[in-house]
Amino acid sequence: MSIRGVVRRAAGSLIHRGWAALRAAGTVSPANPAGYRFRRLGDGACLSFPVGAIFGEAWIEIGEHTLVGERVSISAGMGPGVDLGPDSIVRIGGSCSIGRGSHIVGHQSIDIGDHVFTGPYVYITDQNHVYDDPETPIGRQWPRNNPVVIGSGSWLGTGSIILPGTRIGRQCVVAGGAVVRGEFPDHSVIAGVPAKVVRRYVPGDGWLPPHLNGTRVDPGTAGIADPVEADGLAGTMGAVEHAGALSAAEHPPPSGTVGSVQRVAPAGAAGTGPAGGA
């Protein structure tokens, strides 16, 4: 190996060891002075270095053995140095894992249960801007608060957004990228923008899709329009289409229509509008 290669390897090893030592020294835990500022920082809890924007620690509680990833921002209130009253505002339970780059922004009340795991870059807030006055810039209108609750044992996927007023039950899954607002029962799978329940667990029946509304339908008694009877529904739709075709053959519709519904050509089709040159 050349002298240059030896020097490069030695320098790389030194940098990596130095960075590891810096991360260990910069970790916030109950054992160092930075941990004393929190209302509660449980045994074994830590905030990984480099930390994100952390302020309002006197109104933040973090339970035992909870791991907060790198560059996670946790805040209570609008800014440092504000008296927010006697009660805590942000409460994170024990044995949680908060993914790197996430933001937890509390102003009134955010409750995160035990054993809650999140992917990276999750955003949780109990405050949002309002747009009541159409003439005042939205950023200058006084925001509105609404408490947030995330039940124990839940998982929040990468990039999901939890908006004010959301109450998520126990053992729920939030899909990555979902924008969540509203109340969701225990054992739900929540996905979409805006988010909705796409699957739910019912004891004795297992995981049910949402079109069953949480109840299992007996296939032996389901009608042809029942969601369980997909084949029957397809046959019904085919019969309707066939009847429509016969009606059209017996009574041809006026030019440009199908039955009583006017035919609309795709945008940009020739001769059907400005895009088509008509």
Side-chain angles (χ1 to χ4, degrees):
M1 182 182 292
S2 66
I3 295 178
R4 178 179 295 180
V6 171
V7 170
R8 180 176 296 175
R9 175 175 290 184
S13 177
L14 184 62
I15 290 171
H16 290 147
R17 289 182 181 180
W19 179 247
L22 187 64
R23 290 180 62 186
T27 296
V28 177
S29 73
N32 61 33
Y36 303 158
R37 295 196 293 265
F38 288 83
R39 170 163 296 202
R40 185 171 74 92
L41 192 58
D43 292 340
C46 70
L47 285 74
S48 301
F49 181 85
V51 297
I54 308 289
F55 59 83
E57 293 96 323
W59 292 270
I60 298 172
E61 299 183 31
I62 300 177
E64 290 77 9
H65 305 292
T66 284
L67 171 64
V68 178
E70 299 176 4
R71 298 181 176 86
V72 171
S73 295
I74 307 176
S75 61
M78 291 287 190
V82 179
D83 186 354
L84 302 174
D87 300 323
S88 60
I89 290 176
V90 175
R91 293 168 293 278
I92 303 174
S95 301
C96 295
S97 178
I98 309 299
R100 67 182 181 277
S102 295
H103 288 64
I104 301 173
V105 182
H107 295 85
Q108 181 179 353
S109 177
I110 295 178
D111 260 311
I112 299 175
D114 299 327
H115 304 283
V116 172
F117 284 62
T118 86
Y121 309 111
V122 169
Y123 187 86
I124 304 170
T125 185
D126 63 356
Q127 185 181 88
N128 211 346
H129 290 287
V130 299
Y131 45 89
D132 299 334
D133 185 351
E135 302 302 326
T136 301
I138 292 171
R140 296 186 182 279
Q141 298 187 44
W142 195 253
R144 187 173 295 134
N145 301 333
N146 205 342
V148 168
V149 177
I150 298 172
S152 295
S154 293
W155 160 259
L156 278 58
T158 301
S160 55
I161 299 173
I162 312 300
L163 295 176
T166 296
R167 298 181 65 88
I168 296 174
R170 296 177 57 259
Q171 303 285 117
C172 289
V173 174
V174 176
V179 178
V180 185
R181 181 166 61 183
E183 297 193 12
F184 300 87
D186 296 347
H187 304 103
S188 296
V189 178
I190 304 161
V193 181
K196 61 182 180 180
V197 176
V198 297
R199 194 167 291 272
R200 184 181 175 193
Y201 182 83
V202 176
D205 288 329
W207 289 95
L208 302 182
H211 68 259
L212 296 181
N213 295 319
T215 57
R216 175 72 68 184
V217 178
D218 183 2
T221 60
I224 59 173
D226 191 279
V228 175
E229 296 292 336
D231 292 339
L233 180 59
T236 303
M237 294 301 295
V240 171
E241 293 173 359
H242 181 65
L246 290 177
S247 176
E250 295 172 0
H251 305 285
S255 176
T257 64
V258 177
S260 60
V261 180
Q262 185 174 1
R263 184 187 301 276
V264 179
T272 60

